[in-house]
Amino acid sequence: MPLHVVALELPARWNQPSIVLAEADRLLASASAPDLALLPEAALTGYVSPDRDFDLGPFAEPVTGPTASALAALARAHGCYLAGPLIERDGASTYNAFLVFAPDGARVAHYRKRHPWYPETWATPGDAPPPVFELRGARVTLAVCFDAQFLAEDAARELGEADVLLFPSAWVERHDSRDTLLGGLARRFDIAVVNANWGVGQPSVPGQGGSRVLGRDGEVLAMAHGAGRIDARVELGSRRR
């Protein structure tokens, strides 16, 4: 049975979490509830300010703080699994993290970006591999943006176990290489890829937009053309491995 996935492409905004959450709520309510929905990297806080400030440290909060509560409530409200970003504080460390919640609001996965991009000097690299969790007959894993450059080497086991890779991003690239990079991972590991990327907003930079879902053959099943919601049905079926 196919898995109904949704990627939400949300415009770049800085320090407007309530507006972003309301937009995500509206988009999820705009059509039938998916099995699984994904928000972009750092979508609630913004990835960089209009003044080109990359420091997200001031937004950091515990894994049990208000952002986690808001994401759990969104999952419950729409009866779906929901993956969303958290700028996480844990002791003296700050992480670019992601949380996944079940339809009942229970947390089922927690991941800390292992490879912060060069301007993310505020972020501590995560020291745990990507999680692999089960939902509705599928095994799902998760990596964040710059992690993709290293996945084939340092997460081959997790990719080999999973049916779907969730790939939230704040992509910054003039010549978009996502189809080549993500398509290569899809074909090599026989895995579908759900990419929720930040949309054009403030600031507007190259690489925004183009959220997409790729099938296990690396072909694009759906792509965003402007901020909003993209839906796709990912076939699980038998594996080539």
Side-chain angles (χ1 to χ4, degrees), residues 202-218:
Q202 290 297 322
S204 177
V205 301
Q208 291 173 331
S211 299
R212 64 201 68 191
V213 179
L214 280 65
R216 292 159 51 199
D217 59 0

Side-chain angles (χ1 to χ4, degrees), residues 35-123:
D35 297 311
L36 173 62
L38 176 65
L39 277 63
E41 177 184 19
L44 303 184
T45 57
Y47 183 76
V48 57
S49 80
D51 297 325
R52 300 302 196 268
D53 180 2
F54 281 90
D55 185 10
L56 305 188
F59 300 124
E61 60 185 74
V63 73
T64 55
T67 293
S69 297
L71 292 171
L74 203 57
R76 286 194 300 269
H78 297 282
C80 66
Y81 285 83
L82 179 80
L86 172 70
I87 308 305
E88 180 191 353
R89 173 77 66 193
D90 185 6
S93 298
T94 306
Y95 299 95
N96 186 341
F98 243 78
L99 305 176
V100 184
F101 294 94
D104 63 0
R107 192 178 80 212
V108 297
H110 173 205
Y111 174 68
R112 292 165 170 170
K113 187 177 182 180
R114 297 182 76 181
H115 300 279
W117 192 45
Y118 308 114
E120 292 176 51
T121 55
W122 58 271

Side-chain angles (χ1 to χ4, degrees), residues 60-238:
E61 60 185 74
V63 73
T64 55
T67 293
S69 297
L71 292 171
L74 203 57
R76 286 194 300 269
H78 297 282
C80 66
Y81 285 83
L82 179 80
L86 172 70
I87 308 305
E88 180 191 353
R89 173 77 66 193
D90 185 6
S93 298
T94 306
Y95 299 95
N96 186 341
F98 243 78
L99 305 176
V100 184
F101 294 94
D104 63 0
R107 192 178 80 212
V108 297
H110 173 205
Y111 174 68
R112 292 165 170 170
K113 187 177 182 180
R114 297 182 76 181
H115 300 279
W117 192 45
Y118 308 114
E120 292 176 51
T121 55
W122 58 271
T124 305
D127 59 3
V132 180
F133 56 96
E134 294 191 12
L135 64 89
R136 297 180 182 171
R139 290 174 64 77
V140 180
T141 191
L142 170 66
V144 179
C145 208
F146 199 48
D147 284 334
Q149 306 293 336
F150 309 90
L151 278 177
E153 288 71 37
D154 64 19
R157 182 179 66 83
E158 290 75 18
L159 292 175
E161 292 178 358
D163 301 294
V164 179
L165 167 65
L166 298 181
F167 184 67
S169 61
W171 206 252
V172 181
E173 195 173 50
R174 288 191 179 278
H175 302 288
D176 197 340
S177 64
R178 272 177 290 169
D179 280 345
T180 300
L181 178 61
L182 300 179
L185 290 171
R187 288 185 291 271
R188 177 173 175 179
F189 294 99
D190 191 20
I191 190 169
V193 182
V194 183
N195 169 223
N197 190 38
W198 61 343
V200 177
Q202 290 297 322
S204 177
V205 301
Q208 291 173 331
S211 299
R212 64 201 68 191
V213 179
L214 280 65
R216 292 159 51 199
D217 59 0
E219 295 300 311
V220 175
L221 302 177
M223 181 178 288
H225 300 283
R229 163 180 170 153
I230 59 170
D231 291 66
R233 295 190 180 274
V234 172
E235 295 294 338
L236 303 178
S238 60

